[in-house]
Amino acid sequence: MEKMDHKANKLITLGVVLWVSFLSAAVATMLFFATFDPVDLGDIATFPLSLDRMGGYSVGFLLFWLLLAVNSLAVIWLARRPNEPREH
Amino acid sequence: MTDSLNKIPVEVALYESSEKIYPRETKGRFQRWRMLCVYMLLGLYYALPWVQWGDRQAILFDLPARKFHIFFLTFWPQDFIFLTLLLIMAGLLLFFATALAGRVWCGYACPQTVWTEAFIWMERWVEGTRAQQMKLTAAPWSFTKVRKRVTKQFLWLTFSLFTGLTFVGYFQPISQLFVDFFSWELTGWGLFWVLFYGFATYGNAGFMREQVCKYMCPYARFQSAMFDADTLIVAYDADRGEPRARGSRRKDESSENKGDCIECGICVQVCPTGIDIRDGLQYECIACAACIDGCDEVMDKVGLPRGLIKYSTDALDKGSEKTLLQTLIRPRVIIYSILLSVIAIGFVTALSMRGNFLVDVLRDRNAFYRYSEQGEIQNTYQIRIMNKSQTTQLYMLDMRGLEGATAVWTKSSEPGVSREVGAGEIGEFSITVSLPETADYKRSQTIELLFSETVGDNVDTIVEPARFWGPRDVSR
Ligand code: SF4
Ligand code: SF4
């Protein structure tokens, strides 16, 4: 771990982000789709959207995942204050 | 770290520049237990979706139908609370096990461990022992090397794909899934998730391995919060082992200064996370006990007593005199068990009291009311009845709360007629509530619709409130 180089460190960060957001997305998907049926959502969408259930769950999950991953990455990026010494 | 251990060849992998760990195979009592657990869990995972219950798959999280089947139980989205409770119980059980026995979960049951172990078997089977594997990696590319690497990858990929297929088989009927897959007819999301899960297995068990534990697992990070001095850990007996001595120094009879550790490095070679347990407890240690077995074997060979590395607790190491029972029964353990039992009892009670059916009532959105040919005021409602039981049921309709009004299933003239809903199905009906013009009514009032089961000994009734609209307030 001591000798780990910068690139590896970044990859691990990315891995952690993807994994944590994956878990959160799974929880979000469960809560969301236990409450709403994707078929009904397709019916009341403001633009034409035909969703079968598997498609609905899958798209929902992937969207949650993307959103959470982007969010986490942004947090990591911004949380490192500009005046902190940079690692590279 | 000792010098001899730094001669491990470096295989720079994409994800990490750290060294690939080639755990050495160990045989011993704990490894036998581990193998047993791994076999059992793998067996369960691959076999369970093939078990039938009546005319359906026993365990099927039927997402397309929004129903979860677990043997004789069927859960609906409305039963979400049960799923939540189950997850909470699983979490508490993990806390409980951790407080009692440390990271047994990691060493014996975590999917990460189980699948990594399976992948390591395949690797050993093709490439041989630790030394042979390392030699192969260092060797220049040759026909044998290519053949071995290709075989290994083929095995890994096939196994991963099979794992992915099985995973999806928990969500859609597995026999059909296999038929579709092998006739190249699986498309869309099903195929996507097969490949997704297969790839995740391949990556986690084939390449990331111990790094998942080190860098990605939340449990590995917070387990220390569940540890105390009485938690079972894998520990090296430094008092007995130090100072380490090997080779000539060990043979030197005159030297007083030698501990039992012969510095063979076996404990480090067998460790799947590549740590040296002799440096003390580290968060990387997944308590797999491989080093215990490895060391015991060495101790047997050199004729020293076993247990230089052993399962122990911090308190015991410090010379505590507690008995096993005293170690087991302590506040942390008691609190976890009480919490666990309370939730478990609540879960079972709620489950047994769970009704056999559910009713949704929706008002017809098109009109508040209309007049029938006989001049009655009529409201119509859309009804969804979910029959959660395992048998076909007939439902009767009744109402109360409005003098003179009657409720009938739409398009059936006589009251007293029932509607049928199959086991585990949802029936959609429409009902009409009619009130003679001559009765008293308000512009809007609450009525109660009654739905009753009629088949079986334990018939239930559900009362659903609804609004009934009239043209104006009338009281005579
Ligand atoms: S550290 Fe985490 S991933 Fe590794 S074995 Fe333990 S629970 Fe599983
Ligand atoms: S130190 Fe021992 S028990 Fe811990 S992970 Fe390594 S081999 Fe397993």
Side-chain angles (χ1 to χ4, degrees), chain B residues 2-303:
Chain B
T2 53
D3 44 3
S4 64
L5 303 170
N6 283 337
K7 298 201 194 92
I8 303 166
V10 177
E11 185 184 74
V12 180
L14 251 186
Y15 49 93
E16 229 259 54
S17 63
S18 77
E19 296 155 356
K20 171 165 169 136
I21 294 168
Y22 298 87
R24 180 194 175 106
E25 193 173 4
T26 29
K27 298 227 157 59
R29 45 203 172 125
F30 294 115
Q31 295 324 294
R32 268 201 295 281
W33 278 111
R34 264 187 99 211
M35 291 305 111
L36 201 70
C37 283
V38 171
Y39 278 132
M40 250 170 48
L41 290 170
L42 285 178
L44 270 183
Y45 174 81
Y46 293 104
L48 264 185
W50 295 98
V51 178
Q52 289 290 117
W53 185 268
D55 54 358
R56 64 166 161 78
Q57 200 169 314
I59 296 190
L60 182 62
F61 304 112
D62 194 346
L63 289 176
R66 292 175 74 72
K67 279 185 280 187
F68 286 3
H69 302 291
I70 302 173
F71 291 99
F72 57 94
L73 293 170
T74 299
F75 293 99
W76 301 67
Q78 286 79 359
D79 297 325
F80 189 73
I81 178 74
F82 291 105
L83 189 63
T84 317
L85 283 178
L86 267 183
L87 288 179
I88 294 177
M89 282 198 284
L92 273 173
L93 203 61
L94 185 60
F95 286 16
F96 181 70
T98 309
L100 268 190
R103 288 171 78 170
V104 275
W105 161 260
C106 292
Y108 296 84
C110 178
Q112 181 62 31
T113 310
V114 169
W115 266 274
T116 299
E117 208 51 43
F119 272 60
I120 288 181
W121 291 341
M122 285 183 264
E123 194 165 42
R124 278 202 192 118
W125 192 60
V126 177
E127 296 186 352
T129 63
R130 173 176 196 261
Q132 289 169 327
Q133 285 178 32
M134 294 187 345
K135 217 169 110 201
L136 187 70
T137 306
W141 285 99
S142 64
F143 175 72
T144 324
K145 182 164 176 174
V146 171
R147 179 180 58 84
K148 285 193 170 163
R149 284 286 147 95
V150 169
T151 318
K152 179 176 88 175
Q153 294 298 333
F154 174 77
L155 283 180
W156 279 5
L157 284 169
T158 316
F159 190 67
S160 303
L161 201 61
F162 185 55
T163 310
L165 264 176
T166 308
F167 176 74
V168 174
Y170 281 92
F171 299 93
Q172 57 194 68
I174 194 163
S175 28
Q176 190 55 43
L177 181 72
F178 269 66
V179 171
D180 286 353
F181 183 79
F182 287 108
S183 54
W184 294 98
E185 268 169 23
L186 188 63
T187 50
W189 289 110
L191 184 62
F192 173 82
W193 289 116
V194 168
L195 296 178
F196 182 94
Y197 198 85
F199 179 74
T201 309
Y202 177 74
N204 282 335
F207 294 97
M208 317 248 284
R209 296 192 175 170
E210 79 287 345
Q211 301 183 36
V212 171
C213 304
K214 277 198 205 167
Y215 304 117
M216 283 157 78
C217 176
Y219 173 69
R221 298 292 172 89
F222 69 65
Q223 39 96 13
S224 59
M226 288 171 282
F227 272 47
D228 54 32
D230 290 317
T231 301
L232 209 59
I233 52 173
V234 173
Y236 164 68
D237 190 343
D239 286 343
R240 193 186 136 191
E242 304 292 314
R244 302 167 199 173
R246 71 162 152 192
S248 52
R249 204 145 74 82
R250 177 154 284 284
K251 289 203 192 84
D252 181 0
E253 296 291 337
S254 63
S255 167
E256 282 293 290
N257 199 12
K258 58 188 182 204
D260 279 357
C261 175
I262 64 163
E263 187 80 299
C264 62
I266 293 284
C267 57
V268 181
Q269 291 178 16
V270 297
C271 180
T273 68
I275 58 169
D276 185 344
I277 192 68
R278 295 170 300 174
D279 296 341
L281 183 63
Q282 295 144 73
Y283 85 96
E284 290 97 334
C285 171
I286 58 168
C288 67
C291 51
I292 302 187
D293 285 331
C295 188
D296 279 352
E297 208 181 314
V298 173
M299 289 294 115
D300 288 353
K301 264 190 212 142
V302 299

Side-chain angles (χ1 to χ4, degrees), chain B residues 65-67 74-79 355-361 383-389 391 393 395 421-429 451 453 462:
Chain B
R66 292 175 74 72
K67 279 185 280 187
T74 299
F75 293 99
W76 301 67
Q78 286 79 359
D79 297 325
N356 270 333
F357 72 115
L358 275 179
V359 181
D360 280 345
V361 176
I383 308 293
R384 271 155 57 99
I385 300 183
M386 276 161 260
N387 178 3
K388 303 205 280 183
S389 73
T391 49
Q393 185 57 270
Y395 299 94
V421 183
E425 285 179 5
I426 299 180
E428 310 223 2
F429 310 102
F451 301 87
E453 293 176 320
I462 288 185

